[in-house]
Amino acid sequence: MGKFRKKIGDLLIETGLINEEQLQEALRDKSDTQKIGDVLIQKGFITEHQLIEVLEFQLGIPHVSLFRYPIDSNLTAIVPKEIARKYNLMPLKREGDKLFVAMTDPLDFFAIEDLRLTTGFQIETAIATKDEIYRAITKYYELNVGINEFINDVPEEVQEERMINDDSPVVKLVNQILLSAVQQRASDIHIDPQETKVSLRYRIDGVLRIERTLPKNMQNVLIARIKIMANLDITENRVPQDGRIKINLEFHPVDLRISTLPTVFGEKIVMRVLDLSNQLNDLQNLGFNNVNLQRFKELIERPTGIILLTGPTGSGKSSTLYAALNKLNVEDVNIITIEDPVEYQLEGINQIHVNPNVGMTFATGLRAILRQDPNIIMVGEIRDRETADIAVRASLTGHLVLSTLHTNDSFGTITRLIDMGVEPFLVASSLTGVVSQRLVRRVCRDCANVQEPTKRELEIFAKHDINIDKINRGRGCGTCNMTGYKGRVAIHELLEIKDEMRKVIMNKESFSKLREIAIKNKMIFLIDDGLIKVKQGVTTTEEILRVTYTE
């Protein structure tokens, strides 16, 4: 096996995918149980697809894509779930005394031998990606088995005991729905009751897609189980309810925010998934271009003023705020936040949870914070005039205030504050900067291919004074679920409020003048930052036009 590991490293060097230094770094950092290929993928030196191509070439073992592969679901009775999970493999089909299986490591001879002794078949192997095998095991072993148990044993009525017993089919099914969402990096889970069925949808990389449909008779117990987990009232189904679930899924801490909504066909449930092991706490990882990153760092290092982040729901504002707080979090400053709800808990920072039921609103919490000798205050969202007024006055009395606001662009933020009733001279003197951001999908590294830009793309890039001769697009593969995209990156525009702009705001002049000053100061607009990322091969023009507009 050691000889094989070395060969793989050498082969990757020969094919030009890595260099000797990268191989040595991976060998240094590799633990005894890790495989060299996994370490190289983790470090971003190669993609899983590139490793599979090298294995396929070296070993002559075929590579299969499990996406839409006609897997024989009867084989789950032959290959036990424990073996499939333990060795990361998925049975595909049988021909006579041969059983074809997809594996992440087709050289795991212990796994092949164990499988041969368990099933009595001769084993033929193929290579597939980890993600595809995880998804297939969840789909064919976990969810299908959970649903079959459920159908065979549908309770007459919702009994609380059935809802909390770990061996109960509904408990297993809900756990598998959550685990599958985390494995696929979903940000939201939607359970949509319809007239004759229940749709289960995941939002992955900002786009909703149907994961599967469930029988209508599972609706009530499924919803009751989720409500019990979130400490909601299971007898109340006429009004919306909000709750929270903290759960460990296979040693993976996950926080879920639950929202229920009565619809004509029953209660719809949306679960926002906060993967606590995946939080980004480094400004470098947020997709800022070099110019905006430097400007943002200078803004947050100022001792006073308000910095606002704007964008629609789910545009990554919280991640940027937390990354900024993480950078500012040193021993000699007192940082206090007030949020609704507290999403990620940061060590060394005092975080307050908004609770309107007991009178703890953003405004009352903010007033109390000002008596706690803070240096930096983070307000989850400015929703009303009272909160805006206190935040503005806090920034004018020697505090740095970070917050978010729902507007379409950075200039709209100034209008919004004035519309809320904040005096223009207060806006001008307190506001130091506004960051507007959106999330766009990244081109999948495994199936990216270079194409020539279309005539329309050339026109768009020319209009923004950017030269382009090639565009990266994903063809679609098993790794990205045939979408051509995997993961997301933020695009930003950063408006720095300079003295010239303050005069325009105080004199209530036209906002087109602000734009002219910003262009003179070489501000990078959302669309420009997006097009730069298209040129770098990170995303596509379609993605940028989906979240921004070109004039």
Side-chain angles (χ1 to χ4, degrees):
M1 292 294 272
K3 192 177 171 194
F4 164 71
R5 301 282 177 250
K6 183 172 179 294
K7 277 187 180 174
I8 280 293
D10 292 343
L11 202 65
L12 288 167
I13 290 171
E14 281 168 33
T15 49
L17 291 172
I18 61 168
N19 56 40
E20 183 65 40
E21 280 173 28
Q22 289 171 324
L23 177 61
Q24 292 309 319
E25 186 186 325
L27 286 167
R28 268 197 314 275
D29 295 349
K30 184 176 89 71
S31 70
D32 294 340
T33 55
Q34 275 183 307
K35 293 168 181 160
I36 189 69
D38 288 343
V39 180
L40 290 164
I41 292 165
Q42 241 172 37
K43 289 185 169 291
F45 296 153
I46 57 168
T47 68
E48 194 174 5
H49 197 71
Q50 288 169 330
L51 178 65
I52 283 172
E53 280 179 350
V54 170
L55 283 169
E56 192 177 10
F57 170 73
Q58 188 197 29
L59 306 173
I61 295 175
H63 166 218
V64 293
S65 171
L66 300 188
F67 188 82
R68 291 186 185 143
Y69 188 94
I71 292 172
D72 181 355
S73 56
N74 296 324
L75 296 178
T76 54
I78 297 171
V79 178
K81 179 177 79 173
E82 293 68 33
I83 285 185
R85 293 287 292 273
K86 182 180 175 183
Y87 297 119
N88 255 353
L89 57 86
M90 185 68 205
L92 302 175
K93 62 178 180 179
R94 57 181 279 194
E95 287 177 4
D97 67 341
K98 287 182 181 174
L99 180 66
F100 291 80
V101 294
M103 303 177 71
T104 51
D105 181 4
L107 280 185
D108 190 339
F109 299 114
F110 296 111
I112 294 167
E113 187 61 14
D114 195 352
L115 193 57
R116 187 182 69 78
L117 292 170
T118 306
T119 62
F121 285 89
Q122 290 302 313
I123 307 302
E124 294 286 333
T125 58
I127 314 170
T129 66
K130 257 187 193 162
D131 279 358
E132 286 183 299
I133 288 177
Y134 278 152
R135 276 200 290 267
I137 290 172
T138 302
K139 182 176 176 183
Y140 290 96
Y141 280 97
E142 314 283 6
L143 286 176
N144 276 0
V145 172
I147 288 166
N148 291 338
E149 279 184 34
F150 215 117
I151 290 165
N152 295 335
D153 184 24
V154 178
E156 292 293 319
E157 54 191 36
V158 178
Q159 297 168 1
E160 190 136 336
E161 193 186 331
R162 304 292 296 276
M163 298 293 108
I164 55 176
N165 181 352
D166 285 347
D167 293 327
S168 154
V170 64
V171 172
K172 286 183 191 170
L173 182 63
V174 170
N175 287 348
Q176 282 313 317
I177 287 170
L178 300 180
L179 183 60
S180 178
V182 170
Q183 284 173 349
Q184 295 186 54
R185 299 177 189 87
S187 60
D188 300 88
I189 304 166
H190 288 238
I191 295 170
D192 295 332
Q194 291 166 22
E195 192 170 4
T196 57
K197 60 186 179 183
V198 180
S199 280
L200 172 64
R201 296 191 292 170
Y202 290 161
R203 188 179 291 281
I204 298 169
D205 293 337
V207 178
L208 266 176
R209 63 175 182 76
I210 290 183
E211 176 69 9
R212 67 186 306 120
T213 55
L214 304 170
K216 184 72 175 173
N217 63 357
M218 294 170 62
Q219 179 177 312
N220 292 341
V221 273
L222 191 63
I223 288 167
R225 169 60 187 161
I226 293 165
K227 283 174 146 188
I228 285 169
M229 290 172 80
N231 288 325
L232 300 178
D233 182 354
I234 64 168
T235 61
E236 180 57 80
N237 55 16
R238 297 160 301 173
V239 293
Q241 294 185 68
D242 291 314
R244 196 162 190 168
I245 298 171
K246 278 197 171 182
I247 191 170
N248 264 322
L249 294 168
E250 296 195 343
F251 311 107
H252 209 75
V254 178
D255 199 347
L256 300 153
R257 277 164 35 197
I258 314 298
S259 169
T260 74
L261 184 72
T263 71
V264 286
F265 298 123
E267 283 179 287
K268 172 180 166 67
I269 289 188
V270 175
M271 296 184 262
R272 166 63 57 92
V273 183
L274 300 168
D275 188 346
L276 301 178
S277 61
N278 250 357
Q279 49 184 315
L280 280 172
N281 278 334
D282 192 349
L283 285 174
Q284 311 282 351
N285 299 335
L286 294 176
F288 277 106
N289 62 49
N290 293 336
V291 176
N292 279 346
L293 181 61
Q294 190 53 40
R295 287 176 181 172
F296 187 61
K297 280 182 178 171
E298 285 168 12
L299 275 181
I300 63 173
E301 279 161 9
R302 292 183 189 180
T304 63
I306 292 187
I307 300 164
L308 292 175
L309 274 99
T310 77
T313 305
S315 59
K317 300 187 294 293
S318 296
S319 295
T320 308
L321 271 182
Y322 280 116
L325 288 178
N326 203 45
K327 173 143 181 71
L328 297 167
N329 187 12
V330 288
E331 194 182 313
D332 56 359
V333 295
N334 179 19
I335 303 176
I336 306 180
T337 77
I338 178 156
E339 307 167 60
D340 181 21
V342 173
E343 287 188 12
Y344 296 114
Q345 286 163 11
L346 299 176
E347 202 175 327
I349 292 177
N350 308 287
Q351 294 171 277
I352 303 167
H353 184 78
V354 166
N355 187 354
N357 297 333
V358 294
M360 174 61 90
T361 61
F362 277 117
T364 52
L366 199 43
R367 277 199 197 91
I369 287 171
L370 291 172
R371 295 193 286 274
Q372 289 281 319
D373 184 31
N375 300 95
I376 298 164
I377 301 167
M378 192 267 264
V379 184
E381 189 186 338
I382 292 177
R383 293 178 181 168
D384 52 47
R385 179 181 176 170
E386 195 181 4
T387 310
D389 272 336
I390 303 164
V392 164
R393 291 178 199 285
S395 71
L396 294 173
T397 52
H399 305 95
L400 177 66
V401 180
L402 301 168
S403 190
T404 69
L405 204 63
H406 285 282
T407 59
N408 286 331
D409 61 6
S410 49
F411 296 104
T413 306
I414 297 162
T415 321
R416 178 95 177 89
L417 285 171
I418 293 169
D419 284 348
M420 272 182 174
V422 182
E423 291 293 339
F425 75 91
L426 287 174
V427 174
S429 46
S430 63
L431 196 61
T432 53
V434 182
V435 178
S436 182
Q437 75 175 58
R438 301 286 187 280
L439 289 177
V440 292
R441 292 182 290 170
R442 284 177 180 271
V443 173
C444 172
R445 283 179 66 190
D446 283 344
C447 62
N449 72 320
V450 176
Q451 296 179 3
E452 289 207 0
T454 63
K455 189 180 171 193
R456 171 76 178 131
E457 282 175 323
L458 288 169
E459 285 170 10
I460 292 167
F461 278 89
K463 199 185 209 176
H464 294 270
D465 297 322
I466 301 170
N467 292 321
I468 186 95
D469 52 5
K470 60 180 191 216
I471 300 268
N472 240 9
R473 277 196 180 85
R475 286 187 301 266
C477 64
T479 309
C480 61
N481 250 347
M482 301 308 285
T483 59
Y485 298 99
K486 184 157 190 197
R488 287 192 291 175
V489 65
I491 57 170
H492 304 88
E493 72 179 27
L494 194 152
L495 172 65
E496 267 189 288
I497 309 294
K498 307 270 189 184
D499 287 342
E500 213 178 331
M501 290 182 178
R502 294 187 205 284
K503 284 178 193 163
V504 172
I505 297 166
M506 276 199 270
N507 298 335
K508 300 180 185 175
E509 292 178 53
S510 160
F511 278 91
S512 58
K513 224 171 182 183
L514 280 180
R515 199 176 178 85
E516 284 167 25
I517 299 165
I519 291 167
K520 197 172 75 182
N521 292 337
K522 298 194 173 160
M523 173 175 159
I524 299 166
F525 292 92
L526 264 179
I527 181 104
D528 298 322
D529 189 34
L531 295 177
I532 290 164
K533 286 185 169 70
V534 175
K535 185 170 181 171
Q536 291 166 346
V538 175
T539 186
T540 62
T541 320
E542 293 87 346
E543 272 298 287
I544 301 305
L545 296 180
R546 182 174 68 84
V547 298
T548 65
Y549 54 90
T550 180
E551 291 171 2

